Amino acid sequence: MFKVLWRRKIGLGGFIVLISICLVAIFAPFVAPCDPYQLNPSIRLQPPNRAHLFGTDMFGRDILSRVLYGARLSLITGFSVALLSGTLGVGVGVVSAYFKQTGMILMRINDALMAFPEIILALALLAIAGHASLANVIIALGVTYAPRMARTAYGLALRIREFGYIEAAQAVGSGSFRIIFYHLLPNLISPVIVQTTFTCALAVLGAASLDFLGVGVSPEVPSWGAMVNEGRIYITIAPWVIVFPGFFVALLVLALNLLGDALRDALDPRLRRLV
Amino acid sequence: MAAYITRRLAAILPTLFLVLIIVFFLIRLIPGDPAAVMLGPDASPEDIERLRHLMGLDQPLMVQFGRYLLRVFRGDFGMSIAFHMPVTKLILQRLETSFLLALCSAVVVFCLGVPPGILAAVKRNTLIDQFLLMFALLGASIPSFWLGLMLMLAFAVKIPLFPTSGFSSVFQTGNLANFRYLVLPSLTLGFVNSALVARLTRSSMLEVLQEDYVRVARSKGVRESRVILKHALRNAAIPIVTVFSFTFAGLMSSAVVTESVFALPGVGRLVVESVLRRDYPTIQGLMIMIAFLYLIINLITDITYAFIDPRIRYD
Amino acid sequence: MRRYILLTLLCVGMVFGVLAEQPKYGGTLRYATIGEPPHLDLMLVTSDLASTIGQHIFETLFTFDEHYAPIPLLVDTYEVRSDGREIVLHLRQGILFHNGKELQAEDVVASLERWGKYGIRGPIMFQHVTAVVADDKYTVRILFETPFGPWQSLLAFNNGGPMIIPKEIAEAAGGKPLTPDQYIGTGPYKFAEWIPGKYIRLVRFEGYKSREEPPTGYGGARHAYLDEILFIPVPEAGTRLAGVQAGDFDYAEMIPADLYSVVKADPNINTYLLRPPFMALLFRNTKQGIMANNLMLQAVLAALDMEPIMKAAFGELFELNGSIFPKGTIWYSTAGTERYNQANLDKAKELLKEAGYAGEPIRLLTNTSYQYMYQYSLVIADQLRKAGMNIELRVYDWATMVKYRAQSGEWDLFVTSHGPIPDPALLTALSPTYPGWWDTPQKNELVNLFNTTVDFKDRYAIWEKIQALWYEEGSCIKLGDFYTLNISSAKRVGGLDDPHQPPLLWPYFWNAWLKG
């Protein structure tokens, strides 16, 4: 893995940034100078100064600390959604490729879902769930991004079918389950890893957008998107409230995208065509 | 060809009906009701109940659905609970904004996506190529709400070149100067959506440039620019057109975040607003419109393929 | 020679200076509103916007003066007989409706009956009314079963209130909201057109017969200098503000409190803090759950430090005030307010112990639909946690919060705000069916007595008792008063700075004019 990444230095850069953000998120209680929940209305909306490097927000909370804790939410959401959509997507895609008839119907539904604008789909799912807890957000986004993965998995699984592995295995008498697990899935790992990385990036972006719109998690929890939303009306008098959280969203997503790109180039040159 | 189109158009109606059923029952699963939202914080529970009764919300669900269906067949999509105007009128108003925004953003997407993509393919692996790839990556990574706010901060607040928010109609007032409200939002949307188009243009062109007919054209002595623009691009166009058309559809219906940042009265924001206010008639009307939009764009894209690539036939 | 020129210039300057301050007839005022009202049938709606617009079209029998005390408007004189069981109203004569018909007693009777039956606040009064009769062309008599103290305030309060419309329209409309062609009133402006999403347009009613007294509050003379008033919906606050600055609008409402410093500093903008202020409130569940214990109420009252709570939500535009009614209104009282804004964490902790609180979760409902509510709920949660309460903040959107709030097993505390009202009889917090469900025999007895007493002094004494009880066992905790910020273009708009016409909650423009 590392040899591969060494060759693409930019990908390495992305990887390093990602790891740094993860470390910061894990050790946030030790790194953060203040309690991100600590309200202090008397020092609200202060510009960056020595005591508060990123300034304070409308409740007097330290923005730097909230940004550091915000990394937790973004990372947890990103990884969980990637995991969920990956599992769902691969599951649906592979099963569809294996069972041809049902597969075609499933893929039609899949395409319909994929054509639907993402954010609206996520919004609708969240609204139905009732109130937006982290679990609901993860499920909504997971379902929203699963179709992509399903498409990719389906396409690849079909190609593998054509190579004859499947027929051969069937001829020898292997059961469906065995075939799927031992023949189909292992060949999918590389592209799935790549796609998962990209999904993680999309999820971080998507969750931040939902938080920005005010329909994501409760804004008490430090969330980069929610911080930008709360700070919007102060853009003329206190722009730092929105500059920093938004920047970190971009940074994390960029790191994930760089990593995904590097992995794709390294793991399977054929994939360069599949954007 | 004509038969194909008719078939496709006919297939749209049952799909829309299905969408309607799903949406109608699904949104009523959302807790809370429009009466409470309308009356605001001072209302007592009795006031809310009285309004619910007046609005017919306490009727059994199937009765409500039946009534709604009858009206829809007459072309009446009902009154928006939150905005007190016919849903069709409301959506059309918002559509103007979304359409113009999508149009302007599409122009930006094209300019930032296609020519640079072609250039990067031609100058593969040079500094220009790397630069474009980084640029595209940035576009795909930067959150649109942040980019929009930063642009607003720079060009509307600190240097007051453009208005910070809002929108004044172009069609209704005939005032072309009102496009200034769309400059920053289209730059935001355009930049973010151009990433995909740029990369796709590049990779599509790369594939095509390796094909035999390109080599043949070059050996015949055709000018390089002609080779690229006439021969290569034509064949690379299909995936580009696909992505472009779906980007346009997406721009129309899901530019929620950008509309939210710049306070543009568009369709995306209407979706969020009507969900928050439990404005059932509007949500229903919107979902049908969006589904219809996607189906039509799908159809137009397929037809465009036939024009670009004579090998494709729909008989 | 030079001295003569200077003198002439001075005189001319003075004349112009004086003229510049004189009201001018003519022009169209453009008012940027936050949205659109559901409709303008004031009897059936409590939307503030409807009242703001509708009060120019429709008038009530009474209205409020600069101290928010009721005074006659369409009524000329009145008598209270039989200890308040009989009210006789003598109408002013020669008042015309917008359709040319003269206002007569039969119109008042029909309007009041419609209001009593279908109006939002009508039933509150009409459950005590036995009959409304027209004695002659200009006299109306209202007969009560028991004396009803708040009668005058209710007849004056046009929000969900008894606006006077022609008899034919009252009967034709019944329980359905008036349609635009039925917007016929007696006000200084008549309804011209409503293009949804664009504007509502009112034009001066040339046949208006104004009162003679100098303006005081909503009452007194209404000159109608402006030809037209346009109410234009502009949902974004930033756009409303920018519009006034750019000259697209003359007046704009509901500017966010945090922009107050910005607009105050702008010499081209006049600011108005509307009175009476709104109330920021915290309710507790007295029916079920931990907070039903009165000692828990006292613990919360002890813990809260109101200044940071209000500041977080309203910047500088608030006032700490323990009295339910604001200073300067006739119902202001300090009864029980020693328990307001104690900011005493130690006392709170002691009271918690006394109440037997053992760390159970206390569910505080809040919402993000009203930004200021969310903001003060965060500070409240923080303070109560510091006092030792295990607060569980539940954040929803407004519609969902209302749904959970209606179920007594789902919450212990919730935040909200209420608009100002002219009479304690209209306080929803006193209603036993309003979430919080304050329903003790002591309170019900006092409220009953309050509603059946007619003399103001007596009523005030009873109100003080109610407010004291409120602080002992009520469901509602007052956090403070907050102001709505409106602005106008200083260059264009005149007539809004008369000290006898303070910026009242529903901005009125019948004595405003356009300069220049």
Side-chain angles (χ1 to χ4, degrees):
Chain A
M1 171 78 90
F2 285 96
K3 227 193 299 173
V4 150
L5 284 171
W6 268 118
R7 269 189 270 143
R8 311 218 103 256
K9 285 190 240 133
I10 295 183
L12 181 65
F15 186 65
I16 291 178
V17 170
L18 181 62
I19 294 292
S20 318
I21 297 182
C22 288
L23 285 172
V24 161
I26 296 174
F27 294 107
F30 302 103
V31 182
C34 306
D35 174 1
Y37 292 92
Q38 179 63 43
L39 302 179
N40 206 341
S42 50
I43 54 166
R44 61 200 290 266
L45 298 176
Q46 278 186 350
N49 53 54
R50 221 170 298 164
H52 302 279
L53 284 172
F54 285 177
T56 58
D57 69 6
M58 72 296 302
F59 288 106
R61 297 180 293 206
D62 177 40
I63 294 180
L64 173 60
S65 306
R66 284 182 71 79
V67 165
L68 293 177
Y69 272 83
R72 293 185 160 188
L73 187 68
S74 294
L75 286 170
I76 293 177
T77 313
F79 289 147
S80 310
V81 170
L83 199 66
L84 180 62
S85 69
T87 319
L88 257 176
V90 168
V92 170
V94 163
V95 165
S96 304
Y98 192 76
F99 298 104
K100 264 221 155 115
Q101 271 78 13
T102 18
M104 294 209 30
I105 302 176
L106 272 174
M107 277 300 115
R108 281 253 133 187
I109 300 177
N110 194 58
D111 284 343
L113 269 176
M114 208 159 72
F116 218 71
E118 273 164 16
I119 200 144
I120 300 204
L121 187 59
L123 216 74
L125 290 170
L126 266 178
I128 294 168
H131 82 280
S133 65
L134 183 58
N136 287 339
V137 171
I138 291 175
I139 295 176
L141 285 176
V143 171
T144 307
Y145 293 121
R148 267 167 217 250
M149 184 66 86
R151 248 283 137 210
T152 314
Y154 180 67
L156 286 166
L158 276 184
R159 238 187 265 179
I160 293 172
R161 272 190 89 98
E162 282 160 32
F163 279 137
Y165 288 136
I166 314 296
E167 267 99 38
Q170 278 173 331
V172 180
S174 304
S176 312
F177 199 67
R178 216 182 143 75
I179 294 178
I180 293 179
F181 263 89
Y182 284 108
H183 294 282
L184 280 173
L185 286 181
N187 286 294
L188 294 177
I189 288 194
S190 311
V192 164
I193 289 182
V194 171
Q195 185 75 300
T196 309
T197 316
F198 286 126
T199 307
C200 192
L202 282 173
V204 171
L205 209 51
S209 299
L210 288 174
D211 288 343
F212 174 76
L213 289 174
V215 296
V217 251
S218 157
E220 233 200 329
V221 178
S223 143
W224 290 338
M227 288 170 75
V228 177
N229 186 29
E230 285 183 317
R232 273 181 63 185
I233 48 174
Y234 305 100
I235 189 174
T236 39
I237 51 181
W240 52 88
V241 184
I242 52 177
V243 167
F244 295 108
F247 172 75
F248 279 90
V249 177
L251 188 65
L252 178 58
V253 176
L254 187 64
L256 283 164
N257 276 329
L258 281 172
L259 184 62
D261 253 6
L263 282 175
R264 178 176 60 202
D265 287 344
L267 287 177
D268 191 349
R270 277 182 304 168
L271 283 178
R272 265 199 210 116
R273 305 252 186 75
L274 286 168
V275 178
Chain B
M1 185 59 145
Y4 175 72
I5 297 180
T6 328
R7 251 188 299 136
R8 287 287 294 267
L9 282 172
I12 287 182
L13 280 166
T15 317
L16 288 181
F17 188 69
L18 195 64
V19 169
L20 186 58
I21 295 183
I22 296 176
V23 170
F24 187 91
F25 289 100
L26 227 50
I27 58 179
R28 280 160 177 76
L29 285 175
I30 308 175
D33 74 77
V37 178
M38 262 187 86
L39 292 177
D42 297 66
S44 66
E46 293 90 13
D47 298 336
I48 299 179
E49 257 320 296
R50 210 178 314 152
L51 188 58
R52 278 180 59 90
H53 181 72
L54 212 67
M55 291 165 74
L57 289 172
D58 48 359
Q59 303 272 9
L61 222 51
M62 284 313 290
V63 171
Q64 292 189 47
F65 184 61
R67 283 218 199 110
Y68 181 67
L69 218 53
L70 282 173
R71 289 208 308 263
V72 167
F73 281 139
R74 292 204 308 261
D76 171 16
F77 281 85
M79 285 287 268
S80 158
I81 297 174
F83 300 94
H84 320 293
M85 59 195 295
V87 171
T88 32
K89 194 160 183 186
L90 177 64
I91 296 183
L92 277 171
Q93 260 187 4
R94 299 297 187 112
L95 214 55
E96 182 210 334
T97 314
S98 286
F99 178 71
L100 287 177
L101 177 63
L103 206 61
C104 298
S105 307
V107 168
V108 176
V109 168
F110 184 83
C111 297
L112 287 181
V114 177
I118 298 176
L119 193 63
V122 167
K123 304 251 183 240
R124 185 196 176 155
N125 282 332
T126 60
L127 214 63
I128 295 182
D129 186 19
Q130 299 287 12
F131 189 67
L132 173 94
L133 286 175
M134 259 322 273
F135 200 67
L137 205 57
L138 208 64
S141 310
I142 208 169
S144 53
F145 58 84
W146 194 65
L147 178 62
L149 285 171
M150 293 300 106
L151 283 176
M152 189 196 285
L153 192 61
F155 299 111
V157 176
K158 296 291 180 195
I159 313 170
L161 268 177
F162 299 104
T164 52
S165 58
F167 182 66
S168 201
S169 166
V170 171
F171 290 144
Q172 284 175 333
T173 61
N175 185 4
L176 284 176
N178 284 335
F179 268 106
R180 66 196 154 109
Y181 289 105
L182 293 176
V183 173
L184 294 179
S186 1
L187 283 176
T188 307
L189 266 183
F191 181 66
V192 169
N193 283 289
S194 62
L196 193 61
V197 172
R199 295 188 69 143
L200 197 65
T201 308
R202 174 184 178 277
S203 54
S204 191
M205 282 296 284
L206 277 178
E207 268 197 50
V208 159
L209 283 174
Q210 286 167 1
E211 294 287 336
D212 287 338
Y213 52 83
V214 169
R215 248 181 284 152
V216 166
R218 278 204 186 112
S219 63
K220 276 182 14 189
V222 178
R223 239 193 5 253
E224 185 66 13
S225 54
R226 213 178 146 80
V227 168
I228 296 171
L229 291 174
K230 185 151 187 247
H231 297 274
L233 190 56
R234 195 126 193 260
N235 290 291
I238 288 189
I240 300 177
V241 166
T242 317
V243 161
F244 204 80
S245 63
F246 278 100
T247 304
F248 189 78
L251 285 172
M252 282 276 282
S253 59
S254 61
V256 190
V257 175
T258 307
E259 286 176 18
S260 192
V261 171
F262 292 98
L264 295 171
V267 169
R269 257 183 96 206
L270 186 59
V271 173
V272 180
E273 277 170 44
S274 43
V275 168
L276 283 178
R277 292 158 93 159
R278 311 290 190 271
D279 189 355
Y280 301 140
T282 309
I283 303 174
Q284 284 150 207
L286 274 172
M287 290 301 144
I288 295 187
M289 187 215 83
I290 293 177
F292 183 68
L293 185 71
Y294 268 85
L295 289 167
I296 289 289
I297 291 200
N298 218 329
L299 179 59
I300 294 179
T301 314
D302 285 346
I303 297 176
T304 319
Y305 286 165
F307 280 108
I308 295 180
D309 187 348
R311 287 175 296 171
I312 297 178
R313 285 178 175 286
Y314 295 115
D315 298 317
Chain C
M1 188 59 191
R2 228 189 295 163
R3 239 191 293 161
Y4 275 122
I5 296 179
L6 274 176
L7 200 59
T8 321
L9 281 175
L10 196 63
C11 287
V12 170
M14 273 174 62
V15 167
F16 269 114
V18 168
L19 278 181
E21 283 315 308
Q22 289 307 338
K24 285 168 61 194
Y25 278 88
T28 303
L29 182 98
R30 296 154 306 171
Y31 182 133
T33 63
I34 195 173
E36 289 184 295
H39 53 75
L40 291 178
D41 185 340
L42 297 183
M43 284 193 203
L44 302 184
V45 77
T46 53
S47 140
D48 285 322
L49 197 48
S51 288
T52 302
I53 301 174
Q55 65 181 339
H56 294 85
I57 305 172
F58 301 106
E59 295 182 316
T60 41
L61 295 166
F62 292 85
T63 189
F64 295 102
D65 70 7
E66 55 198 276
H67 304 292
Y68 228 62
I71 54 173
L73 180 57
L74 287 175
V75 158
D76 190 19
T77 59
Y78 63 95
E79 298 144 38
V80 177
R81 299 189 194 150
S82 316
D83 295 320
R85 284 198 193 81
E86 202 178 307
I87 312 281
V88 179
L89 307 167
H90 299 285
L91 304 172
R92 287 163 59 207
Q93 297 180 16
I95 307 279
L96 296 175
F97 281 109
H98 298 151
N99 59 6
K101 180 180 179 226
E102 191 198 10
L103 166 71
Q104 295 187 358
E106 57 173 18
D107 301 303
V108 174
V109 172
S111 302
L112 286 179
E113 285 186 335
R114 178 174 186 255
W115 179 63
K117 207 157 153 199
Y118 305 112
I120 304 260
R121 307 193 196 268
I124 299 175
M125 179 160 122
F126 266 69
Q127 47 178 298
H128 305 280
V129 169
T130 49
V132 183
V133 265
D135 275 349
D136 59 47
K137 223 158 76 147
Y138 300 108
T139 311
V140 177
R141 205 156 31 104
I142 311 177
L143 297 153
F144 291 89
E145 184 183 16
T146 51
F148 184 64
W151 68 271
Q152 226 182 351
S153 304
L154 274 173
L155 290 180
F157 197 46
N158 69 27
N159 190 269
M163 66 207 197
I164 306 303
I165 50 179
K167 171 170 183 260
E168 299 75 32
I169 293 183
E171 284 166 359
K176 287 198 155 75
L178 296 181
T179 54
D181 56 301
Q182 291 175 316
Y183 292 157
I184 306 288
T186 56
Y189 285 88
K190 58 181 177 174
F191 174 79
E193 62 178 328
W194 182 343
I195 304 183
K198 288 213 73 188
Y199 56 71
I200 299 176
R201 189 162 68 96
L202 308 183
V203 289
R204 182 195 304 121
F205 173 47
E206 302 295 344
Y208 182 70
K209 191 165 173 216
S210 165
R211 289 191 73 102
E212 314 271 293
E213 312 92 351
T216 163
Y218 296 110
R222 297 179 173 186
H223 298 288
Y225 299 117
L226 299 164
D227 288 337
E228 269 188 15
I229 313 178
L230 280 177
F231 295 94
I232 305 162
V234 183
E236 290 299 319
T239 316
R240 288 198 293 280
L241 171 57
V244 170
Q245 288 171 323
D248 296 326
F249 309 119
D250 304 305
Y251 189 95
E253 64 174 16
M254 303 192 72
I255 306 299
D258 280 295
L259 294 178
Y260 184 56
S261 46
V262 172
V263 289
K264 199 97 186 87
D266 188 334
N268 294 321
I269 296 187
N270 283 334
T271 58
Y272 309 99
L273 295 179
L274 301 185
R275 286 195 263 128
F278 279 63
M279 305 179 262
L281 305 167
L282 172 68
F283 276 84
R284 68 160 177 144
N285 188 340
T286 65
K287 201 190 252 191
Q288 199 181 332
I290 301 173
M291 287 305 301
N293 183 342
N294 281 346
L295 282 169
M296 292 300 287
L297 168 65
Q298 297 308 322
V300 171
L301 282 172
L304 293 181
D305 178 5
M306 302 304 185
E307 170 126 13
I309 292 176
M310 297 296 286
K311 197 163 184 194
F314 306 109
E316 342 166 9
L317 300 184
F318 68 91
E319 220 175 275
L320 293 182
N321 177 17
S323 157
I324 308 304
F325 286 84
K327 288 200 194 87
T329 61
I330 52 181
W331 295 104
Y332 175 73
S333 153
T334 51
T337 59
E338 61 275 2
R339 300 192 204 207
Y340 172 76
N341 196 18
Q342 296 176 49
N344 189 340
L345 284 180
D346 295 321
K347 180 172 174 198
K349 291 191 180 123
E350 261 178 56
L351 284 165
L352 283 178
K353 235 195 296 179
E354 208 183 310
Y357 178 65
E360 300 95 313
I362 298 178
R363 299 155 296 182
L364 170 56
L365 300 186
T366 182
N367 69 84
T368 45
S369 308
Y370 293 89
Q371 179 79 342
Y372 59 84
M373 284 190 210
Y374 174 69
Q375 288 175 316
Y376 56 69
S377 66
L378 272 201
V379 184
I380 292 174
D382 183 56
Q383 289 182 358
L384 292 181
R385 284 186 186 129
K386 287 206 179 77
M389 295 190 217
N390 179 7
I391 301 288
E392 218 180 81
L393 203 61
R394 300 266 176 98
V395 185
Y396 303 110
D397 64 69
W398 178 257
T400 316
M401 187 185 109
V402 168
K403 174 170 188 275
Y404 286 120
R405 185 185 76 168
Q407 299 159 24
S408 71
E410 289 290 326
W411 63 277
D412 302 297
L413 293 168
F414 76 87
V415 288
T416 186
S417 68
H418 284 170
I421 36 154
D423 191 300
L426 294 169
L427 279 169
T428 31
L430 290 179
S431 160
T433 56
Y434 186 81
W437 304 289
W438 188 16
D439 196 9
T440 60
Q442 220 185 337
K443 175 268 247 174
N444 288 338
E445 203 187 300
L446 278 174
V447 170
N448 228 3
L449 188 58
F450 178 75
N451 283 340
T452 51
T453 312
V454 177
D455 180 67
F456 174 68
K457 273 202 238 28
D458 296 331
R459 299 185 76 214
Y460 184 77
I462 302 173
W463 167 243
E464 295 216 276
K465 291 212 192 93
I466 297 180
Q467 189 172 290
L469 193 63
W470 181 302
Y471 273 96
E472 267 170 53
E473 60 165 52
S475 60
C476 177
I477 297 166
K478 174 126 182 237
L479 301 170
D481 294 329
F482 63 95
Y483 295 96
T484 311
L485 173 61
N486 286 9
I487 57 174
S488 76
S489 161
K491 276 184 288 195
R492 295 243 322 151
V493 183
L496 294 180
D497 40 23
D498 177 358
H500 295 290
Q501 294 180 80
L504 291 176
L505 181 59
W506 302 306
Y508 46 96
F509 297 94
W510 43 71
N511 287 326
W513 69 85
L514 289 175
K515 304 180 193 170

